[in-house]
Amino acid sequence: MPLIVALDVRALGAGRLARAQEALRAHELAAAVVFDPANVRYVTCDGSYLVANLHCSYRWALVFAEHDPILWEPAESLGLARTRFDGEVRPTTSFTFFGSGGHSAEHARQAMAEVHDELRARGLHRAPVGIDRAEAVVFFALADLGLRLVDAVPVLEVARSVKTDLELAVHRENARLVDVAVRRWLEDLAPGRTECELWARLVAETFATGALHSESRLLSSGPRTNPWMQEASDRVVEDGDPVAFDTDLVGPHGYLTDVSRTYLCGDAAPSAELRDAYRAAHGFVHEAIPEFRAGRTFAELGEQLGPRIPPEYRAQRYPFLAHGCGATDEYPAIVVDGHHAGVLAPGMVISVEAYTGRVGGHVGAKYEEQIVVTDGAPEHLSHAPVESRLL
């Protein structure tokens, strides 16, 4: 079942770029050089080899507050980039140790000299320049070139947190595809399969409709559901086991659908411990969602929602009550303590979640829904089935 939204990728990119440039102006930054794939795609377009790019800076962009951005792309990907981005695209000078070995620092200086030249041509080489992340040789090269660097991560993450209308359309479609995948996966949920087999089946359903990658392999069963964060293994799922997963799925066009479910496998009756844990997780999430209204501060939400976690589950609670979604799990994070500054705004895509499992218990439950913050009641994006046998 493919995407049903006809997406203009250039219009999608133009809307994102406008938000990034507005954020740069608001922070009095004339330019930023970005390497994080989430930021590069935000100001230009999607690239190839996404997962490799998460740990290897082989494409980057120079984004200006008042000028068109420049994208540096590996020579073998130039053709693809030019089908997605109408701005200037240049071949990179690779500097990773993998490709450059002992010449890495020298190559980084050559690559960053091009960035410096573009800043100088616009009279910006003495102004503060934002940067997000890169290999150490990049920072050394930019410092040697005399640039004054500042952290661009907060600037761009806050900009990315509020989605354009086209971004929201993609989020809705990606969530719909995940809902379909979960329903199909439930048809295959049966005793006798390993966790890895079940995870592979879930991923296969999502990849068949264009998903790009999953941020994790969080699927566990039976006693491995307590504590949480145990990834899929060769354990064979038994009749009556809970099977819990967190999708952490980056779908078509690079937008995250992050939902969690716990289901009962087979026909055996669930234990009272499992039913109690599931009811607690499901109840917490659905009672919390109406509180996510535009204008609520992150601290206010954390202080209000944290105490709602039942005491018997607090020791192993999930670290976040909720978090933003975009290219991945991202700003903002709603936490129980150590609150972040900030306010919910219309257009934020948020995942609200809970894990409930007693210390030393036999099982636990994970539950998570994805919503859009609006001026009124939150919009629910995720509609995967609940486990009625546990309610």
Side-chain angles (χ1 to χ4, degrees), residues 20 24 29 31-44 53-54 57-63 95 112 115 129-136 138-139 142 148-158 160:
L24 290 175
L29 273 178
V33 56
V34 294
F35 297 83
D36 185 331
N39 288 329
V40 176
R41 67 182 281 272
Y42 194 75
V43 300
T44 58
N53 196 194
L54 294 173
S57 297
Y58 63 78
R59 69 193 300 254
W60 56 92
L62 182 58
V63 57
F95 53 74
M112 293 305 102
V115 171
V129 175
I131 189 168
D132 52 4
R133 71 175 204 201
E135 283 78 353
V138 168
F139 285 89
L142 291 171
R148 182 154 54 98
L149 302 176
V150 298
D151 187 6
V153 171
V155 177
L156 294 173
E157 282 229 23
V158 172
R160 284 165 31 202

Side-chain angles (χ1 to χ4, degrees), residues 203-231:
V203 171
E205 292 289 352
T206 59
F207 274 48
T209 56
L212 302 185
H213 71 97
S214 181
E215 297 275 278
S216 69
R217 297 175 64 252
L218 285 174
L219 183 146
S220 55
S221 65
R224 297 188 71 251
T225 60
N226 188 336
W228 186 238
M229 299 299 285
Q230 301 189 63
E231 296 197 320

